[in-house]
Amino acid sequence: MKSRVKNILKTEPADQAFTVCGWVRTKRDTGSFSFVEVNDGSCLSNLQIIADQSLPNYAADIKNISTGSSVVVHGILKASPAKGQAVELHAESLDVVGEADAEVYPLQKKRHTFEFLREISHLRPRTNALGAVARVRSRLSYAVHQFFQERRFVQVHTPIITTSDCEGAGEMFQVVTGQEKGTNDHFFGRSAGLTVSGQLQAEVYALALGDVYTFGPTFRAENSNTSRHLAEFWMIEPEMAFCDLQGNMKMAEEMLKYLLQDAMDNCPEDMQLFNNFIEKGLLKKLQTVVDKDFAHITYTEAVDRLCSCGKQFEYPVRWGIDLQSEHERYLTEEVFQRPLIVTDYPANIKPFYMRLSDDRKTVAAMDILVPGIGEIIGGSQREERLEVLLSRMVEAGINLDDYSWYTDLRRYGSVPHSGYGLGFERLVQFVTGMTNIREVIPFPRTPGSAPC
Ligand code: 4AD
Ligand code: MG
């Protein structure tokens, strides 16, 4: 196994041999040797290399090393007299594997804006902030699986290509072959698209295996150029049989807290970077979220609060509208100042699958809103009563034949069941404090932009 800088930062530098493979961040020459800062991607910290002029390739290679070059360095770890690092590597050999022309390498020593870095998405993971985001994102992904696997949920790989539009919002990208363009000769026998949610298929497995989850890419052709929307994003969707809205909310809150704590426990160095440079007070904010109960409010109460608060919103509020980001953020940031679960939304602004309540006006829905972001989770108890579901589908203009597999679940052994979707990028945004969602996914896809 390759040696990694992450593993030696806290070790006692007992003159042990070590090899680092990485990319040069900076180089500084002093009289008889050079300091070379190398980052191997395993952690935020660079390893400082002391390269003495007695090395055979010192004049030919080492003196000319520039930022961005890749190197392999063998040497001996020693205690470092410098501040901020425990060890440094005294090079016995230093090989330049790949050069990077300093004249044109775009990542110079100065701080670059995130907007600029988006234009070089192939190089931006080599910066401190974007490297840290990548590591935290990876850890959160692992923690998601750990959370559900510990609770014996079964992971289901729901399809990416599908013929059903779960959210019914007409935001599906179509999937066509080069040949069938403009004809009715569909590859799948009917028109198909990229999934907007794995929920409907997850329900199939929940009604066989009990507790399941899916974690995969989802796609939405919505023309929203905001700091919280992507055309391709990842969603975590648990689905639980014999579970009502209460159980659903409990699971969602427990999961969010688990994931935040996990990131703080396992990525302390990267989280400190975000706390210092991206969002001051981030760690304290996250710890408070973990330690306190989430607030609860019904949609109707939320509308009352918004109407009577005296604040001017861009979108005026009345019962029956979908809450906009400005409303969500006002509630969670200013009124409650902590995560807020809004329940019982009007049936006519929510998809057909949500369970109709006894008032016949609202559904057993829940959205979780968090400060700085707004909606991070959307979920509901599902309509398990065949007749009610059918009439909701007819109302929504859905072709019942296309969804017979879904309605069959209510014909044969139907049970109350619930689930939710957590937008993975919004979670990574919340955990890292990054203000734009384009910074928390390696290659963001947004209207007008998919460069590689
Ligand atoms: O609220 P949504 O649309 O819910 C569903 O898709 C349900 N089928 C989930 C379920 O019950 N299994 O989306 C769920 C979450 C949102 O709360 C948000 O965090 C995220 O997905 N999301 C987006 N994230 C980034 N870009 C977009 N365009 C997003 N749309 C939704
Ligand atoms: Mg939603």
Side-chain angles (χ1 to χ4, degrees):
M1 211 168 66
K2 230 170 34 196
S3 46
R4 307 290 276 159
V5 170
K6 182 178 180 216
N7 303 328
I8 48 124
L9 283 177
K10 296 212 169 67
T11 55
E12 286 295 312
D15 286 0
Q16 52 171 308
F18 188 76
T19 302
V20 62
C21 308
W23 292 267
V24 173
R25 285 291 176 86
T26 60
K27 180 180 69 88
R28 193 159 50 85
D29 301 323
T30 67
S32 58
F33 55 88
S34 299
F35 292 111
V36 187
E37 295 276 334
V38 174
N39 188 280
D40 75 350
S42 64
C43 60
L44 192 63
S45 297
N46 302 326
L47 182 59
Q48 175 157 282
I49 313 295
I50 315 288
D52 192 88
Q53 66 178 4
S54 61
L55 288 168
N57 60 342
Y58 186 79
D61 300 335
I62 299 173
K63 273 219 90 146
N64 302 319
I65 287 177
S66 60
T67 299
S69 319
S70 50
V71 293
V72 174
V73 189
H74 301 288
I76 304 292
L77 286 176
K78 303 227 183 236
S80 172
K83 249 196 14 218
Q85 60 191 43
V87 289
E88 58 190 25
L89 187 68
H90 290 239
E92 292 182 336
S93 74
L94 190 162
D95 292 315
V96 178
V97 179
E99 293 174 357
D101 185 347
E103 294 277 305
V104 288
Y105 185 61
L107 290 177
Q108 293 309 322
K109 236 169 140 183
K110 65 173 186 154
R111 198 184 171 284
H112 298 289
T113 64
F114 289 129
E115 288 77 11
F116 168 73
L117 293 175
R118 263 178 236 151
E119 292 167 18
I120 47 166
S121 53
H122 58 299
L123 294 171
R124 68 177 184 165
R126 294 189 191 184
T127 63
N128 282 344
L130 276 286
V133 167
R135 283 184 296 269
V136 169
R137 183 181 166 110
S138 167
R139 178 67 212 189
L140 281 169
S141 166
Y142 178 80
V144 164
H145 289 292
Q146 190 169 273
F147 176 84
F148 287 114
Q149 297 288 339
E150 279 172 5
R151 285 159 185 74
R152 300 286 176 264
F153 280 57
V154 174
Q155 185 191 5
V156 180
H157 293 112
T158 51
I160 289 170
I161 298 176
T162 175
T163 52
S164 41
D165 179 1
C166 174
E167 296 305 293
E171 289 171 349
M172 264 168 90
F173 285 101
Q174 294 303 300
V175 173
V176 289
T177 66
Q179 285 74 37
E180 76 185 71
K181 248 191 198 146
T183 72
N184 271 335
D185 194 10
H186 296 303
F187 184 90
F188 297 104
R190 53 193 273 211
S191 110
L194 298 179
T195 187
V196 295
S197 159
Q199 177 198 319
L200 302 186
Q201 292 91 350
E203 283 186 52
V204 170
Y205 273 75
L207 293 198
L209 303 179
D211 293 337
V212 303
Y213 71 105
T214 169
F215 182 2
T218 44
F219 308 85
R220 295 196 186 176
E222 57 184 327
N223 206 357
S224 308
N225 247 315
T226 79
S227 58
R228 311 171 318 131
H229 286 89
L230 292 165
E232 175 180 294
F233 61 100
W234 288 65
M235 211 191 328
I236 294 133
E237 297 182 274
E239 192 67 36
M240 295 159 284
F242 303 98
C243 177
D244 63 9
L245 192 68
Q246 291 302 323
N248 201 25
M249 292 190 286
K250 229 175 127 234
M251 184 60 70
E253 179 169 345
E254 190 180 326
M255 179 203 64
L256 272 181
K257 290 178 170 176
Y258 180 101
L259 297 176
L260 304 191
Q261 191 65 58
D262 185 277
M264 289 190 282
D265 290 347
N266 293 290
C267 307
E269 194 192 20
D270 291 327
M271 292 302 294
Q272 198 62 54
L273 172 96
F274 299 128
N275 190 62
N276 293 347
F277 299 109
I278 304 294
E279 182 182 338
K280 294 255 179 296
L282 173 73
L283 289 171
K284 190 158 168 259
K285 175 190 89 175
L286 295 177
Q287 197 58 56
T288 311
V289 171
V290 172
D291 293 341
K292 273 193 171 172
D293 288 342
F294 289 7
H296 285 251
I297 191 173
T298 65
Y299 168 90
T300 303
E301 288 162 354
V303 167
D304 286 347
R305 288 261 189 156
L306 291 164
C307 287
S308 62
C309 73
K311 204 176 147 83
Q312 280 295 319
F313 293 107
E314 193 189 331
Y315 294 90
V317 183
R318 59 179 166 72
W319 201 93
I321 64 147
D322 209 355
L323 296 184
Q324 300 295 318
S325 167
E326 55 173 341
H327 310 134
E328 296 175 342
R329 293 189 54 175
Y330 171 75
L331 291 169
T332 180
E333 286 165 25
E334 293 181 44
V335 181
F336 289 94
Q337 298 174 356
R338 58 187 155 130
L340 170 65
I341 310 187
V342 183
T343 57
D344 305 290
Y345 283 79
N348 58 358
I349 56 166
K350 288 291 187 188
F352 68 93
Y353 55 73
M354 294 191 179
R355 190 177 197 279
L356 194 63
S357 300
D358 292 343
D359 62 15
R360 309 199 70 80
K361 282 196 332 223
T362 61
V363 284
M366 64 107 177
D367 276 6
I368 303 190
L369 319 178
V370 294
I373 291 186
E375 179 188 341
I376 195 166
I377 284 180
S380 67
Q381 184 169 339
R382 319 309 189 187
E383 185 54 75
E384 86 283 12
R385 299 160 297 183
L386 180 63
E387 292 312 317
V388 185
L389 178 63
L390 288 173
S391 75
R392 289 268 286 151
M393 291 172 83
V394 170
E395 255 170 53
I398 291 169
N399 179 354
L400 297 182
D401 288 343
D402 290 346
Y403 289 81
S404 58
W405 59 276
Y406 186 72
T407 46
D408 265 1
L409 298 172
R410 280 71 181 168
R411 280 194 181 88
Y412 311 126
S414 188
V415 299
H417 61 290
S418 301
Y420 60 85
L422 164 67
F424 188 53
E425 284 72 23
R426 292 197 188 167
L427 170 73
V428 182
Q429 261 191 292
F430 189 58
V431 168
T432 60
M434 298 301 280
T435 48
N436 199 306
I437 199 165
R438 292 167 176 82
E439 266 69 80
V440 299
I441 186 163
F443 300 99
R445 273 80 181 90
T446 51
S449 177
C452 63

